[in-house]
Amino acid sequence: MEKKEIRIVGLYVGEPLHDKIALQNVLTKYGNVIRTRIGLNQDCGTKGIILLELFGDESEIANFEKALGKLEGVELQRMIFK
């Protein structure tokens, strides 16, 4: 039985995040590659961490990560378990 890869993306949403709607739009647009989404608020809701478990088409995941990388105030980190 082949073991599937588990891909986790962590987003640190700090300041300045000028456009929270843009972040939500990216998350909605690529919702088809998000299996799990967990939000962890910090500092009274002005900063936070979003953990995403991703699955599906590799090119769609790459496009998603590229779109996230264009958002000012969002830092992306990856974890991949094989």
Side-chain angles (χ1 to χ4, degrees), residues 20-60:
K20 293 179 183 179
I21 293 172
L23 172 58
Q24 185 58 49
N25 287 340
V26 170
L27 293 170
T28 300
K29 179 178 179 179
Y30 292 98
N32 60 316
V33 297
I34 300 171
R35 179 174 298 173
T36 307
R37 175 178 169 178
I38 300 170
L40 307 170
N41 290 332
Q42 298 178 350
D43 295 338
C44 301
T46 60
K47 299 177 185 177
I49 296 171
I50 301 172
L51 300 175
L52 304 169
E53 178 191 8
L54 305 180
F55 74 106
D57 183 68
E58 292 295 323
S59 64
E60 191 75 354

